[in-house]
mmCIF file of all heavy atoms in Angstrom:
data_model
loop_
_atom_site.group_PDB
_atom_site.id
_atom_site.type_symbol
_atom_site.label_atom_id
_atom_site.label_comp_id
_atom_site.label_asym_id
_atom_site.label_seq_id
_atom_site.Cartn_x
_atom_site.Cartn_y
_atom_site.Cartn_z
ATOM 1 N N ASN A 1685 -15.311 286.801 1.769
ATOM 2 C CA ASN A 1685 -13.902 286.950 2.126
ATOM 3 C C ASN A 1685 -13.088 287.373 0.912
ATOM 4 O O ASN A 1685 -13.615 287.503 -0.205
ATOM 5 C CB ASN A 1685 -13.352 285.641 2.709
ATOM 6 C CG ASN A 1685 -13.542 284.462 1.772
ATOM 7 O OD1 ASN A 1685 -13.204 284.539 0.593
ATOM 8 N ND2 ASN A 1685 -14.087 283.374 2.288
ATOM 9 N N ALA A 1686 -11.802 287.603 1.115
ATOM 10 C CA ALA A 1686 -10.964 288.193 0.069
ATOM 11 C C ALA A 1686 -10.863 287.299 -1.165
ATOM 12 O O ALA A 1686 -10.886 287.791 -2.293
ATOM 13 C CB ALA A 1686 -9.569 288.480 0.637
ATOM 14 N N THR A 1687 -10.765 285.978 -0.961
ATOM 15 C CA THR A 1687 -10.638 285.076 -2.104
ATOM 16 C C THR A 1687 -11.862 285.134 -2.998
ATOM 17 O O THR A 1687 -11.760 285.223 -4.238
ATOM 18 C CB THR A 1687 -10.415 283.637 -1.609
ATOM 19 O OG1 THR A 1687 -9.279 283.595 -0.749
ATOM 20 C CG2 THR A 1687 -10.191 282.692 -2.772
ATOM 21 N N VAL A 1688 -13.038 285.118 -2.385
ATOM 22 C CA VAL A 1688 -14.285 285.179 -3.172
ATOM 23 C C VAL A 1688 -14.434 286.564 -3.796
ATOM 24 O O VAL A 1688 -14.894 286.686 -4.946
ATOM 25 C CB VAL A 1688 -15.481 284.827 -2.269
ATOM 26 C CG1 VAL A 1688 -16.780 284.923 -3.065
ATOM 27 C CG2 VAL A 1688 -15.321 283.427 -1.702
ATOM 28 N N ARG A 1689 -14.039 287.606 -3.087
ATOM 29 C CA ARG A 1689 -14.142 288.960 -3.654
ATOM 30 C C ARG A 1689 -13.272 289.086 -4.903
ATOM 31 O O ARG A 1689 -13.684 289.689 -5.896
ATOM 32 C CB ARG A 1689 -13.701 289.997 -2.616
ATOM 33 C CG ARG A 1689 -14.622 290.089 -1.409
ATOM 34 C CD ARG A 1689 -14.483 291.426 -0.691
ATOM 35 N NE ARG A 1689 -13.132 291.724 -0.299
ATOM 36 C CZ ARG A 1689 -12.552 291.380 0.847
ATOM 37 N NH1 ARG A 1689 -13.271 290.670 1.721
ATOM 38 N NH2 ARG A 1689 -11.326 291.718 1.140
ATOM 39 N N ALA A 1690 -12.070 288.517 -4.868
ATOM 40 C CA ALA A 1690 -11.196 288.589 -6.047
ATOM 41 C C ALA A 1690 -11.820 287.850 -7.234
ATOM 42 O O ALA A 1690 -11.772 288.333 -8.380
ATOM 43 C CB ALA A 1690 -9.827 287.999 -5.706
ATOM 44 N N SER A 1691 -12.421 286.706 -6.981
ATOM 45 C CA SER A 1691 -13.092 285.968 -8.064
ATOM 46 C C SER A 1691 -14.277 286.744 -8.609
ATOM 47 O O SER A 1691 -14.534 286.752 -9.818
ATOM 48 C CB SER A 1691 -13.559 284.597 -7.563
ATOM 49 O OG SER A 1691 -12.457 283.815 -7.134
ATOM 50 N N ALA A 1692 -15.014 287.432 -7.731
ATOM 51 C CA ALA A 1692 -16.163 288.220 -8.173
ATOM 52 C C ALA A 1692 -15.712 289.394 -9.044
ATOM 53 O O ALA A 1692 -16.368 289.728 -10.036
ATOM 54 C CB ALA A 1692 -16.935 288.710 -6.959
ATOM 55 N N VAL A 1693 -14.586 290.027 -8.695
ATOM 56 C CA VAL A 1693 -14.065 291.128 -9.503
ATOM 57 C C VAL A 1693 -13.735 290.641 -10.921
ATOM 58 O O VAL A 1693 -14.052 291.294 -11.918
ATOM 59 C CB VAL A 1693 -12.830 291.743 -8.814
ATOM 60 C CG1 VAL A 1693 -12.082 292.667 -9.770
ATOM 61 C CG2 VAL A 1693 -13.253 292.508 -7.569
ATOM 62 N N SER A 1694 -13.086 289.471 -11.025
ATOM 63 C CA SER A 1694 -12.749 288.922 -12.347
ATOM 64 C C SER A 1694 -13.999 288.586 -13.143
ATOM 65 O O SER A 1694 -14.063 288.812 -14.358
ATOM 66 C CB SER A 1694 -11.879 287.666 -12.180
ATOM 67 O OG SER A 1694 -10.662 287.978 -11.523
ATOM 68 N N ALA A 1695 -15.030 288.045 -12.461
ATOM 69 C CA ALA A 1695 -16.274 287.708 -13.167
ATOM 70 C C ALA A 1695 -16.971 288.966 -13.685
ATOM 71 O O ALA A 1695 -17.471 288.995 -14.819
ATOM 72 C CB ALA A 1695 -17.196 286.925 -12.232
ATOM 73 N N LEU A 1696 -17.011 290.039 -12.867
ATOM 74 C CA LEU A 1696 -17.607 291.282 -13.317
ATOM 75 C C LEU A 1696 -16.870 291.841 -14.538
ATOM 76 O O LEU A 1696 -17.492 292.349 -15.483
ATOM 77 C CB LEU A 1696 -17.588 292.312 -12.180
ATOM 78 C CG LEU A 1696 -18.606 292.110 -11.047
ATOM 79 C CD1 LEU A 1696 -18.339 293.107 -9.927
ATOM 80 C CD2 LEU A 1696 -20.025 292.264 -11.566
ATOM 81 N N ALA A 1697 -15.552 291.769 -14.519
ATOM 82 C CA ALA A 1697 -14.777 292.303 -15.637
ATOM 83 C C ALA A 1697 -15.090 291.588 -16.935
ATOM 84 O O ALA A 1697 -15.127 292.202 -18.009
ATOM 85 C CB ALA A 1697 -13.285 292.189 -15.317
ATOM 86 N N LYS A 1698 -15.341 290.281 -16.880
ATOM 87 C CA LYS A 1698 -15.670 289.546 -18.096
ATOM 88 C C LYS A 1698 -17.009 290.003 -18.685
ATOM 89 O O LYS A 1698 -17.180 290.025 -19.900
ATOM 90 C CB LYS A 1698 -15.682 288.043 -17.803
ATOM 91 C CG LYS A 1698 -14.305 287.490 -17.487
ATOM 92 C CD LYS A 1698 -14.355 286.021 -17.119
ATOM 93 C CE LYS A 1698 -12.951 285.506 -16.778
ATOM 94 N NZ LYS A 1698 -12.967 284.089 -16.352
ATOM 95 N N PHE A 1699 -17.949 290.360 -17.810
ATOM 96 C CA PHE A 1699 -19.213 290.914 -18.318
ATOM 97 C C PHE A 1699 -18.949 292.243 -19.025
ATOM 98 O O PHE A 1699 -19.511 292.513 -20.081
ATOM 99 C CB PHE A 1699 -20.202 291.114 -17.164
ATOM 100 C CG PHE A 1699 -20.966 289.878 -16.794
ATOM 101 C CD1 PHE A 1699 -20.418 288.934 -15.940
ATOM 102 C CD2 PHE A 1699 -22.227 289.660 -17.294
ATOM 103 C CE1 PHE A 1699 -21.112 287.805 -15.589
ATOM 104 C CE2 PHE A 1699 -22.949 288.525 -16.947
ATOM 105 C CZ PHE A 1699 -22.382 287.591 -16.096
ATOM 106 N N GLY A 1700 -18.094 293.095 -18.421
ATOM 107 C CA GLY A 1700 -17.815 294.388 -19.018
ATOM 108 C C GLY A 1700 -17.078 294.288 -20.336
ATOM 109 O O GLY A 1700 -17.310 295.070 -21.262
ATOM 110 N N ILE A 1701 -16.190 293.302 -20.464
ATOM 111 C CA ILE A 1701 -15.452 293.129 -21.709
ATOM 112 C C ILE A 1701 -16.349 292.595 -22.813
ATOM 113 O O ILE A 1701 -16.254 292.997 -23.976
ATOM 114 C CB ILE A 1701 -14.250 292.190 -21.474
ATOM 115 C CG1 ILE A 1701 -13.223 292.864 -20.565
ATOM 116 C CG2 ILE A 1701 -13.600 291.776 -22.784
ATOM 117 C CD1 ILE A 1701 -12.121 291.948 -20.114
ATOM 118 N N SER A 1702 -17.260 291.688 -22.480
ATOM 119 C CA SER A 1702 -18.082 291.026 -23.496
ATOM 120 C C SER A 1702 -19.277 291.865 -23.923
ATOM 121 O O SER A 1702 -19.706 291.767 -25.092
ATOM 122 C CB SER A 1702 -18.573 289.673 -22.971
ATOM 123 O OG SER A 1702 -17.486 288.852 -22.598
ATOM 124 N N ILE A 1703 -19.851 292.668 -23.028
ATOM 125 C CA ILE A 1703 -21.101 293.377 -23.306
ATOM 126 C C ILE A 1703 -20.840 294.864 -23.232
ATOM 127 O O ILE A 1703 -20.548 295.416 -22.159
ATOM 128 C CB ILE A 1703 -22.200 292.953 -22.314
ATOM 129 C CG1 ILE A 1703 -22.340 291.416 -22.310
ATOM 130 C CG2 ILE A 1703 -23.522 293.609 -22.663
ATOM 131 C CD1 ILE A 1703 -23.231 290.878 -21.237
#
Side-chain angles (χ1 to χ4, degrees):
N1685 56 50
T1687 304
V1688 179
R1689 294 202 304 272
S1691 299
V1693 167
S1694 299
L1696 285 173
K1698 292 177 181 177
F1699 277 83
I1701 292 171
S1702 303
I1703 306 171

